[in-house]
Amino acid sequence: MSATTKPNNRYLGMVALLALTAIACVGTIEFVFLRVPNEATMGIVQKILYFHAPAATAMYLGAGLCFIGSVGYLLRSSMKWDAFARAGADVTVIMGVMVLISGALWGAKGWGRYWTWDPRLTATLLQVLIYVAYGILRSFAAGGDAERKFAAALGILGAANIPIIKYSVQKWGGQHPTVTGKGGGGLSHPDMRYALLFGFLTFGLITFVFMWQRYKLHYVETEVEGLEQEAIALGLAGD
């Protein structure tokens, strides 16, 4: 009975989390576009901030989780750590693409062009490319220990790029605006601050759901690869 109940509880828990995440997404979108006032200078385009900044934070989180999984794999050679690192890399790529797209839309209004080789934009693009390379290596290379260790090194390298993205504006200037924090223009209306908070909470839920699902997928894939290799070895031994 307990063996049957436990998976059911996990399934119900995941369904509840998905429902909560969906409600948070709809609620945040409704709040941002129907309640939050337009910013005086940028107009409605400024509302990209409420998705752009949370996506950037989720990208950092994904890179940090990939870093943890990569270090764990190098220390223990555990398939669970490898799957954890791969899931973190997936989160980083998805959220990084969202950051680049939303940033380009903002740039079209603020700078008059979709892309400029601003230090922060360039470092963010590099971040995404590192984890795309990570995913390609793990997906198309042989699933051996050497490939996993090389991918883990990429995961660690990608995390080392986070401080460069974070402090690129302070160190090298550039055109990237500072809205919140020291030197930022701030969010004048209280609803603007609430919207940004809701954005962070919503993207936190999305990140957790996506991370958990990708972890389970990659772990199952690793187990299947191991069974295939064992079957091949037994077949060769039988011949």
Side-chain angles (χ1 to χ4, degrees), residues 3 25 34-35 54 68 82 88 90 94 129 149 161 178 217 230:
C25 289
L34 297 183
R35 178 165 177 176
I68 293 172
D82 177 66
D90 291 343
I94 293 297
L129 292 178
K149 287 183 176 179
N161 190 49
T178 301
L217 174 63
E230 288 182 6

Side-chain angles (χ1 to χ4, degrees), residues 28-96:
T28 299
I29 292 172
E30 181 180 4
F31 187 84
V32 167
F33 289 103
L34 297 183
R35 178 165 177 176
V36 178
N38 292 340
E39 199 267 340
T41 303
M42 294 288 293
I44 195 172
V45 176
Q46 183 267 349
K47 295 187 177 185
I48 293 174
L49 169 71
Y50 308 121
F51 307 96
H52 178 77
T57 301
M59 180 185 69
Y60 296 152
L61 178 60
L65 295 173
C66 182
F67 173 83
I68 293 172
S70 298
V71 172
Y73 181 79
L74 290 177
L75 293 177
R76 297 184 177 273
S77 296
S78 168
M79 295 300 101
K80 290 184 177 180
W81 283 118
D82 177 66
F84 191 84
R86 292 180 70 182
D90 291 343
V91 169
T92 306
V93 171
I94 293 297
M95 294 301 173

Side-chain angles (χ1 to χ4, degrees), residues 15-212:
V15 170
L17 182 59
L18 287 171
L20 177 61
T21 303
I23 292 171
C25 289
V26 174
T28 299
I29 292 172
E30 181 180 4
F31 187 84
V32 167
F33 289 103
L34 297 183
R35 178 165 177 176
V36 178
N38 292 340
E39 199 267 340
T41 303
M42 294 288 293
I44 195 172
V45 176
Q46 183 267 349
K47 295 187 177 185
I48 293 174
L49 169 71
Y50 308 121
F51 307 96
H52 178 77
T57 301
M59 180 185 69
Y60 296 152
L61 178 60
L65 295 173
C66 182
F67 173 83
I68 293 172
S70 298
V71 172
Y73 181 79
L74 290 177
L75 293 177
R76 297 184 177 273
S77 296
S78 168
M79 295 300 101
K80 290 184 177 180
W81 283 118
D82 177 66
F84 191 84
R86 292 180 70 182
D90 291 343
V91 169
T92 306
V93 171
I94 293 297
M95 294 301 173
V97 170
M98 291 184 66
V99 170
L100 292 173
I101 292 175
S102 58
L105 295 175
W106 188 316
K109 172 66 175 181
W111 302 332
R113 49 185 171 175
Y114 289 100
W115 180 263
T116 179
W117 292 102
D118 177 88
R120 177 167 287 181
L121 271 64
T122 305
T124 302
L125 177 61
L126 176 62
Q127 180 86 352
V128 173
L129 292 178
I130 288 173
Y131 287 97
V132 168
Y134 179 103
I136 292 174
L137 177 64
R138 289 297 288 109
S139 297
F140 296 101
D145 183 63
E147 288 80 7
R148 294 191 184 100
K149 287 183 176 179
F150 186 75
L154 276 178
I156 294 172
L157 174 64
N161 190 49
I162 294 177
I164 297 176
I165 300 174
K166 180 66 177 177
Y167 298 106
S168 58
V169 174
Q170 294 89 327
K171 295 296 183 181
W172 300 296
Q175 299 179 350
H176 193 281
T178 301
V179 180
T180 60
K182 185 177 180 180
L187 299 172
S188 57
H189 196 280
D191 284 344
M192 292 181 175
R193 294 190 287 271
Y194 288 133
L196 187 59
L197 176 60
F198 292 156
F200 282 121
L201 292 175
T202 299
F203 272 79
L205 288 171
I206 293 172
T207 299
F208 182 82
V209 170
F210 191 68
M211 181 78 188
W212 177 244

